[in-house]
Amino acid sequence: DIQMTQSPSSVSASVGDRVTITCRASQDINAWLAWYQQKPGKAPQVLIYAASSLLSGVPSRFSGSQSGTEFNLTISGLQPEDFATYYCQQAHTFPRTFGGGTTVEIK
Amino acid sequence: QVQIHQWGAGLLKPSETLSLTCNVSGGSFTGYYWNWIRQAPGKGLEWIGEINHSGTTNYNPSLKSRVTMSLDTSRDHFSLKLTSVTVADTAVYYCVRGRAIYFQNWGQGTLVSVSS
């Protein structure tokens, strides 16, 4: 299985901050990576697919980038509704696998 | 606007069979992949498997021997069966409509608890 390693596991930030979450794949997955946001008690929602393509309706403060097997999700100008847990997921190989999650907490 | 509603037994004893069903409204089965994903309490996400509109399946090898997924396009339903459950199968189970490269529409989730 492809291992997806996310860091940090949690981050404390303030409204307006820029936050970057990293996901590293254990092998080449091309750009087949998606990012999800999950709020407590709710199902995850997809934000970004193909490493950097924003889903329709997702605010432009969210962005994704890639360098080799390392992927970043950046939130530029954190908003109160962005405090949540974020997961990466590879779609290159079966079984599909997720990162362990990063919780963005209010400082 | 696609809506996914899921249901099934929420409390099982060890060795029983988990059975969940999802109904899909407002969307087509064709061109999508129908997934099950679970999340143990306080833990991350685990992909269980997928079935496409032709009935082709891909299962997580860690669960493959116990999993069966099926699709009933005439009733807009897709289902999951997981046999011989243990306490380790306690989780919220989500049914999810997906594209090839991301999981797009999620059901509300069903908490399945396994306890003797």
Side-chain angles (χ1 to χ4, degrees):
Chain A
D1 298 3
I2 295 177
Q3 306 303 315
M4 306 300 296
T5 304
Q6 251 183 273
S7 61
S9 57
S10 66
V11 57
S12 293
S14 300
V15 172
D17 284 355
R18 176 186 173 100
V19 171
T20 297
I21 298 166
T22 298
C23 185
R24 185 172 287 107
S26 61
Q27 63 189 72
D28 181 21
I29 59 169
N30 293 322
W32 301 126
L33 184 109
W35 288 98
Y36 301 82
Q37 177 192 69
Q38 185 178 33
K39 295 182 179 179
K42 300 293 188 182
Q45 289 188 297
V46 60
L47 302 172
I48 288 170
Y49 67 97
S52 59
S53 296
L54 210 61
L55 264 290
S56 175
V58 174
S60 59
R61 62 181 179 273
F62 291 92
S63 63
S65 64
Q66 175 188 5
S67 177
T69 59
E70 185 170 294
F71 300 82
N72 288 334
L73 171 69
T74 298
I75 311 171
S76 301
L78 204 60
Q79 296 299 300
E81 59 267 31
D82 300 336
F83 292 96
T85 300
Y86 295 84
Y87 294 93
C88 60
Q89 173 247 325
Q90 64 81 17
H92 180 270
T93 303
F94 292 112
R96 306 304 196 213
T97 49
F98 292 86
T102 297
T103 300
V104 178
E105 301 169 323
I106 301 173
K107 184 184 286 185
Chain B
Q1 177 81 1
V2 64
Q3 291 192 335
I4 299 175
H5 176 66
Q6 58 182 99
W7 67 91
L11 183 60
L12 297 173
K13 296 186 187 313
S15 80
E16 291 184 335
T17 295
L18 178 157
S19 182
L20 298 173
T21 301
C22 280
N23 178 68
V24 181
S25 59
S28 168
F29 272 85
T30 304
Y32 292 93
Y33 298 82
W34 302 90
N35 298 264
W36 291 92
I37 294 169
R38 70 181 183 178
Q39 186 171 36
K43 301 297 184 182
L45 300 162
E46 180 181 26
W47 180 78
I48 299 170
E50 70 171 22
I51 183 169
N52 70 10
H53 68 276
S54 300
T56 301
T57 56
N58 285 292
Y59 297 146
N60 192 322
S62 67
L63 298 166
K64 186 174 183 177
S65 64
R66 298 193 290 131
V67 170
T68 303
M69 295 182 184
S70 59
L71 201 62
D72 183 347
T73 55
S74 66
R75 297 169 62 192
D76 292 337
H77 285 178
F78 68 109
S79 300
L80 169 71
K81 290 191 187 300
L82 180 68
T83 61
S84 304
V85 297
T86 70
V87 171
D89 294 311
T90 293
V92 174
Y93 287 74
Y94 294 101
C95 53
V96 188
R97 185 180 81 157
R99 299 286 190 175
I101 59 172
Y102 62 91
F103 303 120
Q104 185 174 15
N105 305 102
W106 297 62
Q108 80 274 20
T110 300
L111 175 61
V112 177
S113 297
V114 181
S115 174
S116 55

